[in-house]
């Protein structure tokens, strides 16, 4: 069956990239369905809001450091393999060593942060130090996931689907068995590490099945130096992204306690479960956008505009559906989760700016403006911290949702303040009105009426 292309994309090329995006979306839709049933419904109901807050806390704290431990290599390796396929082994080998070393370096930072919070926060951290130590090793284990960048560069979305869906089905099965066995909380903390291990084993197995071998990877000092030079702004921007995506959860735990954290985490899980869509679409269409940049500036801008409109259309559709379905969803939770209903109806709209921000991040990588990524995320982080400081004590968890919504908007459109990126920011603003889509629909109706 022939797949209709978006305006601005060559039909044959679009079909290739759309099929890859389709595989990625299938992978994450499978993950979303499993996550909804197990992590977002069954597990919170089994553990209760307080224990679910404890279960969620290690990953929330760890999120501030996992981005740094990758040193921004994910998107960079994808781009570098596309541009220099002959250097595949050097790129992957150098990135792997960088990720292992930085993973080891962030471990003491995680522990220091934990003790700092324990010392100065009004409430004790939801998780114990022993639980934090266990989960912290994810920073090292996830180094192997650089293979994902190889699959992205080679437009092998099917491979990613196999790993992610297979891994998530196995992960869900383990959690369901533990629920049926009435396992203690610590058993579920162990599954956080097991989930990551399963994915890494899956990536390694499929990489080998394609005839590639990790033993052929080579470390090259020059390549590593260049990756660090280009990657450090992305690594620190990842830290700031985490700040404005996760700081609300840490502050809720410190100010309102682990029960409130458990409720808010359910909201965040529902809301952020959709964030795979912009990542899947952007990373799959990134090669097509890069190719347009090389050959035709006009086509390049058109493809970016179409990408932004697609993001707005999908994100607004998701936000509308979740807003109307939220009362029905929360009927299946215990009464202690009731405050999450209206919080979800606010938080879900932050996704509109997340979708646009994810797509524009690809533009910044294509233009080599990775430092601007750092500036915009730092700005969003500052806005979110300040707003949460005032909103959480006064309004509770719904205050955190409003702070997130405003911070995501501020970060995405920070590009308006920089002369070089202002035209792209204006392109994003235009996309909010879906003018290109409406124009296309109008043209097609005109053709039908002729």
């Amino acid at each position: 069956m022939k797949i209709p292309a978006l305006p601005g994309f060559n039909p044959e090329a679009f079909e290739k990239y759309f099929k890859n995006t389709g595989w990625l979306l299938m992978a994450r839709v499978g993950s979303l369905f499993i996550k909804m049933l197990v992590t977002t419904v069954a597990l919170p109901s089994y553990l209760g809001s307080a224990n679910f807050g404890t279960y969620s806390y290690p990953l929330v704290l760890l999120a501030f450091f996992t981005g740094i431990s990758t040193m921004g290599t994910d998107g960079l390796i994808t781009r570098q393999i596309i541009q220099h396929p002959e250097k595949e082994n050097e790129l992957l080998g150098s990135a792997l060593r960088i990720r292992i070393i930085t993973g080891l370096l962030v471990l003491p930072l995680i522990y220091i942060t934990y003790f700092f919070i324990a010392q100065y926060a009004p409430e004790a951290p939801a998780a114990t130090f022993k639980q934090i130590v266990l989960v912290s090793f994810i920073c090292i284990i996830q180094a192997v996931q650089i293979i994902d960048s190889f699959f992205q560069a080679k437009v092998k979305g099917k491979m990613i689907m196999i790993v992610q869906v297979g891994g998530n089905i196995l992960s869900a099965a383990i959690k369901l068995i533990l629920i049926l066995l009435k396992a203690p909380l610590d058993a579920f903390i162990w599954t956080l590490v097991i989930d990551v291990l399963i994915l890494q084993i899956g990536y390694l197995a499929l990489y080998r099945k394609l005839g590639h071998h990790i033993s052929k990877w080579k470390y090259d000092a020059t390549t590593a130096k260049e990756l660090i030079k280009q990657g450090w702004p992305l690594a620190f921007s990842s830290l700031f992204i985490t700040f404005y995506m996760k700081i609300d959860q840490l502050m809720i735990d410190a100010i309102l306690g682990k029960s409130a954290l458990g409720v808010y985490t359910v909201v965040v899980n529902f809301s952020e479960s959709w964030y795979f869509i912009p990542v899947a679409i952007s990373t799959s269409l990134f090669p097509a956008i890069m190719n347009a940049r090389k050959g035709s500036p006009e086509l390049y801008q058109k493809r970016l505009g179409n990408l932004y409109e697609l993001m707005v259309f999908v994100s607004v559709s998701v936000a509308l559906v979740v807003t109307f379905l939220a009362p029905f969803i929360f009927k299946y939770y215990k009464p202690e989760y009731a405050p999450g209903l209206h919080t979800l109806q606010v938080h879900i709209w932050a996704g509109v700016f997340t979708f646009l921000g994810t797509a524009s991040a690809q533009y910044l990588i294509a233009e080599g403006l990775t430092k601007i990524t750092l500036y915009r995320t730092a700005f969003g982080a500052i806005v979110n911290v300040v707003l949460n400081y005032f909103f959480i004590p006064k309004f509770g968890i719904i205050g955190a949702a409003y702070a997130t919504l405003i911070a995501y908007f501020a970060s995405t459109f920070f590009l308006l303040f920089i002369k070089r990126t202002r035209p792209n920011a204006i392109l994003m603003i235009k996309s909010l009105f879906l003018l290109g889509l409406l124009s296309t629909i109008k043209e097609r109706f005109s053709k039908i009426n002729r």
Side-chain angles (χ1 to χ4, degrees), residues 27-28 31 148 160-169 199 203:
R28 297 313 298 265
S31 302
D148 183 277
I160 299 171
M161 180 204 71
I162 293 170
V163 173
Q164 293 185 350
V165 171
N168 280 284
I169 289 173
L199 285 177
Y203 278 116

Side-chain angles (χ1 to χ4, degrees), residues 113-134:
T113 303
Y114 175 83
F115 284 118
F116 179 83
I117 293 172
Q119 182 71 27
Y120 294 102
E123 296 280 341
T128 66
F129 179 65
K130 182 180 177 181
Q131 292 167 337
I132 296 297
V133 170
L134 171 63

Side-chain angles (χ1 to χ4, degrees), residues 361-387:
Q362 297 291 345
Y363 154 77
L364 294 174
I365 291 174
E367 295 293 326
L369 302 174
T370 52
K371 287 186 179 180
I372 293 178
T373 302
L374 174 60
Y375 302 149
R376 79 191 292 204
T377 51
F379 179 68
I382 292 168
V383 171
N384 207 13
V385 170
V386 172
L387 292 179

Side-chain angles (χ1 to χ4, degrees), residues 283-324:
T283 52
S284 292
L285 295 179
F286 187 45
I289 292 171
M290 285 289 290
N291 289 334
R293 183 177 179 273
K294 294 177 187 176
S296 171
E298 184 180 346
L299 180 61
Y300 173 55
Q301 291 299 317
K302 191 171 185 180
R303 286 185 175 180
L304 281 173
N306 285 321
L307 176 61
Y308 294 153
E309 288 210 1
L310 178 61
M311 293 299 187
V312 171
F313 178 77
V314 174
S315 60
V316 169
S317 299
V318 167
L320 285 171
V321 170
V322 173
T323 299
F324 286 112

Side-chain angles (χ1 to χ4, degrees), residues 101-357:
I101 292 172
T102 51
L104 287 167
L105 291 175
V106 300
L107 293 184
L109 297 178
I110 294 171
Y111 309 146
I112 291 169
T113 303
Y114 175 83
F115 284 118
F116 179 83
I117 293 172
Q119 182 71 27
Y120 294 102
E123 296 280 341
T128 66
F129 179 65
K130 182 180 177 181
Q131 292 167 337
I132 296 297
V133 170
L134 171 63
V135 180
S136 68
F137 287 101
I138 289 175
C139 289
I140 301 169
I141 297 168
Q142 71 170 5
V144 178
Q145 202 157 322
I146 193 64
I147 294 173
D148 183 277
S149 298
F150 164 80
F151 288 142
Q152 297 281 4
K154 298 299 181 181
V155 199
K156 297 285 186 182
K158 185 177 180 179
M159 299 295 104
I160 299 171
M161 180 204 71
I162 293 170
V163 173
Q164 293 185 350
V165 171
N168 280 284
I169 289 173
L170 183 55
S171 170
I174 292 170
K175 290 182 177 68
L176 284 174
I177 290 170
L178 290 174
I179 291 172
L180 292 172
L181 293 174
K182 300 188 184 301
L185 176 61
D186 279 348
F188 292 96
I189 299 292
W190 270 97
T191 64
L192 298 174
V193 181
I194 292 170
D195 289 350
V196 179
L197 273 172
I198 290 170
L199 285 177
Q200 310 317 303
I201 293 169
Y203 278 116
L204 282 170
L206 283 183
Y207 186 71
R208 186 178 179 84
K209 189 175 181 180
L210 288 176
H212 302 276
H213 300 277
I214 196 171
S215 60
K216 293 182 180 179
W217 290 4
K218 301 174 184 177
Y219 174 76
D220 180 75
T222 304
T223 300
K225 191 186 232 181
E226 187 60 29
L227 288 175
I228 292 171
K229 180 181 176 182
Q230 295 184 48
W232 76 262
L234 293 174
F236 279 92
S237 70
S238 176
L239 173 62
F240 287 120
I241 286 172
T242 305
F243 254 94
Y244 78 84
M245 290 187 73
K246 300 295 183 183
I247 193 63
D248 49 0
Q249 289 172 271
L250 281 185
M251 294 178 75
I252 284 171
D253 176 65
I255 298 170
L256 303 178
K258 59 185 179 182
S259 291
L261 172 62
V263 176
Y264 190 73
T265 300
V266 167
V267 170
V268 171
N269 285 345
F270 264 115
S271 192
E272 294 183 358
S273 290
W274 304 97
Y275 291 1
F276 72 87
I277 297 176
V279 175
I281 294 175
S282 296
T283 52
S284 292
L285 295 179
F286 187 45
I289 292 171
M290 285 289 290
N291 289 334
R293 183 177 179 273
K294 294 177 187 176
S296 171
E298 184 180 346
L299 180 61
Y300 173 55
Q301 291 299 317
K302 191 171 185 180
R303 286 185 175 180
L304 281 173
N306 285 321
L307 176 61
Y308 294 153
E309 288 210 1
L310 178 61
M311 293 299 187
V312 171
F313 178 77
V314 174
S315 60
V316 169
S317 299
V318 167
L320 285 171
V321 170
V322 173
T323 299
F324 286 112
L325 288 182
F328 174 78
I329 292 169
F330 274 85
K331 282 183 180 179
Y332 293 91
Y333 285 98
K334 295 176 181 178
E336 61 193 280
Y337 287 97
L341 168 58
H342 296 303
T343 306
L344 175 60
Q345 290 175 320
V346 173
H347 197 284
I348 192 66
W349 288 94
V352 176
F353 307 114
T354 300
F355 276 53
L356 280 174

